[in-house]
Amino acid sequence: MKWFNHTLIAGAACAVISPPHVAVCVAGATAPDWLEYLIKLRGKPVKHRGITHVFTHWLIAALAFTFVWDYHGILMAFAWGGVSHILTDAMTVSGVPFSPYSDRRFHLFGGRFRTGDPVEYAIAAAVVLPRFFTTGVAITIKV
C-alpha cells in the first residue's frame, strides 16, 4: 500500500481507540518503510518488504507493549501502527514475510491487488469514512 493509505487507516483506527495517540500510531504505520531507508543509509542491503515487514516481529512488539510494559501507551500505539502497516501490505499480491525463519509470505484475503490499485483506496475509504461520519462533524458546502 501507499503511505497515504497506511496513514489514513492507522489514524482512523487509532482515533477510535485512543485519540491522543494518533500521531504516534501514524508514525508506526509508516515505520516499516522508513526503517528500510535508515538501514540502507547505514550501507546495509535490505529488500523492500523484508526484515522490517516481518509480521511476527510487529505482533510480538505490539502485544508486549500492550500487556507487559509501556510508557503512557506511546510504544503500544507505535507498534499497533506497525501491525496495521503489515496487515494492509499483506492484502497485496506480494504479501509480507510471516517469520524471519521461513520463506513463506503472509497474505490476507488472498493478496488480490497490487500497490496503487483502486481497491487499495477503496479499502482506506471503507476504514476512514465510517469514522468520519460517526464523529458528529458537520460538513458545510458553500456554493
Side-chain angles (χ1 to χ4, degrees):
M1 280 200 163
K2 303 273 187 186
W3 270 34
F4 178 74
N5 292 320
H6 284 304
T7 58
L8 284 177
I9 291 169
C14 190
V16 171
I17 299 164
S18 181
H21 292 106
V22 169
V24 177
C25 192
V26 166
T30 57
D33 290 337
W34 56 257
L35 285 171
E36 280 178 10
Y37 179 73
L38 291 177
I39 293 170
K40 287 177 184 176
L41 280 179
R42 295 186 64 206
K44 308 262 189 217
V46 61
K47 63 180 182 169
H48 185 58
R49 292 195 186 159
I51 192 67
T52 63
H53 283 70
V54 176
F55 175 67
T56 51
H57 288 171
W58 284 99
L59 185 61
I60 289 168
L63 292 172
F65 292 136
T66 300
F67 297 112
V68 179
W69 179 86
D70 192 6
Y71 181 75
H72 296 289
I74 294 170
L75 296 174
M76 175 186 69
F78 185 85
W80 283 111
V83 169
S84 79
H85 181 112
I86 302 308
L87 290 176
T88 52
D89 274 357
M91 290 186 224
T92 64
V93 206
S94 304
V96 294
F98 184 76
S99 162
Y101 308 109
S102 170
D103 290 337
R104 295 187 58 116
R105 308 288 284 181
F106 173 62
H107 296 275
L108 202 57
F109 306 120
R112 306 239 181 232
F113 66 91
R114 296 191 179 281
T115 299
D117 279 356
V119 71
E120 173 182 335
Y121 296 95
I123 291 168
V127 172
V128 172
L129 289 178
R131 170 66 183 140
F132 183 75
F133 289 117
T134 60
T135 58
V137 174
I139 301 173
T140 306
I141 301 174
K142 293 184 180 185
V143 182

